[in-house]
Amino acid sequence: MEAPTMRQRFEEYIFGLQEEIITSFETLDPNAPKFKRDSWQRAHQGGKGVSGVFFVPPSTDGSPGQQTILEKAGVNISVVHGMLPPAAIKEMRADHSSIPYDGKTSLPFFAAGISLVVHPRNPHAPTVHANYRYFEISEKAAEGEGTGKVVAWWFGGGSDLTPSYLYDEDARHFHTTLQKACNQHGSELYPVFKKWCDEYFYIVHRQETRGVGGLFFDDLSTEKHARLSEDIKRPRSSEEIFDFIKAVGNSFVPSYLPILERRMSMPSTDQQRRWQLIRRGRYVEFNLVYDRGTKFGLKTPSARIESILMSLPETARWEYMTDMGSDLESEEGRLIAVLKQPVDWAGSENL
């Protein structure tokens, strides 16, 4: 019996992680509607997935409706394969020189990932996002020979926290939990991936980060990495990198659930709800203008648009020249100050 491939092992892992995460939210709010599990097949090309989506149907009589802990959430998995066109191959060769390229030939690819976004109802409870993925490119096999030899593979992912109201203990807990997961595989990983996260989730036209950050990484493979020095301890083999992915993936529930439990029942005002919706507007701006995954998905033929736009909040707000957040002594202004100048939440001065 042949050993399972990395494709099979990663797929098994993310389906298990999806169920663990959804179950943790359903257990936290047992009276809320269950997540809708929506299985799908990719038309015309190969692939499948399961979207685990939470929403509360609107009331039909004008009443406020059920007051659940979550307002909207999605924990989605996609496992797809097909042919990668030459233009995409050329772009990927910048970080993966082992990919063959002649300017004319498309190559088989495989991509699997879990992506989640959670928007809680309470303005004091932060939004959270996480994504873990595996990508593989193969040689074009001769007709009738099945899959060709794998010529390039890599892992990517991350997790980040987006509060409307800043609680230092929440940011410290989130970051130190991620740091501990990273440190099992090298003490240099967390600071590099934390900095990368602050840079990636930056809303250029607002000159602020989307939230208080976390981790962001991509292109982890046996090849040299543009952001990681060759002389540091880090995962290098496929086994070591997969172990790292599992460590940070498994850290999601302990990094976020204690924060949600602390904030989900706090009293809040209409003004705090207003600010939450303004911040969700910023979330929408980043996702539609800058997020690579969203932009790539919207350009992909036969893309599953509902899954791509799952990350957007149910409700958001834009105000012309809003005054909220301009007073640096206010709670809203305190958040803005941190979004303008990211903090080393896992540093010794914050412990």
Side-chain angles (χ1 to χ4, degrees):
M1 183 177 178
E2 291 186 3
T5 64
M6 184 56 73
R7 291 184 180 196
Q8 294 166 328
R9 294 168 65 195
F10 186 76
E11 182 178 336
E12 180 182 9
Y13 170 67
I14 59 176
F15 274 107
L17 182 61
Q18 180 190 45
E19 194 58 33
E20 177 193 348
I21 291 170
I22 289 176
T23 299
S24 70
F25 287 121
E26 291 181 337
T27 302
L28 187 64
D29 196 358
N31 296 319
K34 298 296 184 184
F35 276 67
K36 178 183 177 182
R37 272 81 158 180
D38 180 22
S39 298
W40 53 269
Q41 298 287 326
R42 193 174 182 224
H44 310 301
Q45 299 192 54
K48 63 182 180 180
V50 176
S51 296
V53 180
F54 178 88
F55 63 95
V56 179
S59 67
T60 57
D61 59 2
S63 62
Q66 187 175 358
Q67 294 301 295
T68 53
I69 293 170
L70 304 185
E71 188 168 340
K72 182 184 176 187
V75 186
N76 293 354
I77 283 179
S78 64
V79 181
V80 299
H81 53 87
M83 299 300 292
L84 201 63
I89 295 170
K90 182 180 180 181
E91 187 175 331
M92 290 177 175
R93 273 179 56 83
D95 295 301
H96 305 280
S97 59
S98 62
I99 304 173
Y101 174 71
D102 61 10
K104 299 177 293 183
T105 306
S106 296
L107 293 175
F109 80 91
F110 170 87
I114 179 171
S115 181
L116 69 92
V117 176
V118 176
H119 295 290
R121 194 174 297 279
N122 193 302
H124 298 282
T127 288
V128 70
H129 158 261
N131 174 283
Y132 298 102
R133 56 194 177 273
Y134 174 68
F135 202 95
E136 195 176 270
I137 298 176
S138 306
E139 291 178 339
K140 199 167 185 177
E143 188 173 348
E145 291 189 5
T147 306
K149 176 185 175 184
V150 175
V151 294
W153 56 266
W154 60 91
F155 290 90
S159 181
D160 64 288
L161 194 70
T162 305
S164 299
Y165 285 91
L166 181 64
Y167 292 93
D168 289 7
E169 62 268 36
D170 293 353
R172 285 196 297 267
H173 171 82
F174 187 76
H175 277 267
T176 53
T177 304
L178 298 180
Q179 183 188 47
K180 288 174 183 175
C182 289
N183 284 354
Q184 300 172 36
H185 302 272
S187 61
E188 300 298 320
L189 298 177
Y190 169 78
V192 172
F193 296 160
K194 191 269 185 191
K195 183 174 184 291
W196 200 348
C197 185
D198 291 335
E199 293 170 356
Y200 179 80
F201 292 105
Y202 186 71
I203 307 172
V204 178
H205 61 275
R206 298 289 187 181
Q207 297 185 317
E208 62 188 39
T209 57
R210 189 174 76 174
V212 296
L215 299 177
F216 181 89
F217 56 88
D218 205 358
D219 300 313
L220 294 187
S221 69
T222 54
E223 299 183 65
K224 286 186 178 181
H225 197 282
R227 289 182 178 251
L228 295 171
S229 170
E230 284 299 296
D231 58 3
I232 67 166
K233 179 189 175 185
R234 66 178 179 91
R236 296 174 187 273
S237 69
S238 60
E239 286 298 322
E240 290 173 341
I241 298 171
F242 185 37
D243 284 344
F244 168 71
I245 292 292
K246 289 187 289 186
V248 291
N250 294 344
S251 74
F252 172 77
V253 170
S255 73
Y256 181 65
L257 260 290
I259 296 172
L260 182 58
E261 288 174 326
R262 277 199 295 267
R263 307 300 168 199
M264 64 189 189
S265 300
M266 289 181 65
S268 62
T269 65
D270 290 343
Q271 280 293 86
Q272 289 168 336
R273 173 64 170 172
R274 174 188 164 200
W275 177 242
Q276 180 192 42
L277 297 183
I278 291 172
R279 294 313 310 169
R280 286 185 176 173
R282 301 291 195 268
Y283 201 94
V284 171
E285 290 174 25
F286 175 85
N287 282 28
L288 294 183
V289 177
Y290 301 110
D291 186 66
R292 293 187 325 201
T294 302
K295 291 164 70 175
F296 176 81
L298 293 175
K299 293 177 181 178
T300 302
S302 303
R304 198 163 191 274
I305 302 301
E306 293 300 319
S307 295
I308 295 168
L309 298 180
M310 171 275 300
S311 64
L312 301 182
E314 186 174 274
T315 311
R317 182 180 179 90
W318 285 265
E319 295 184 6
Y320 180 74
M321 303 292 286
T322 184
D323 59 345
M324 294 198 79
S326 58
D327 178 4
L328 297 182
E329 298 300 315
S330 68
E331 288 301 306
E332 296 82 9
R334 187 166 168 268
L335 173 71
I336 293 295
V338 167
L339 302 184
K340 298 285 187 182
Q341 185 60 52
V343 171
D344 178 15
W345 294 106
S348 58
E349 72 273 16
N350 291 300
L351 297 179

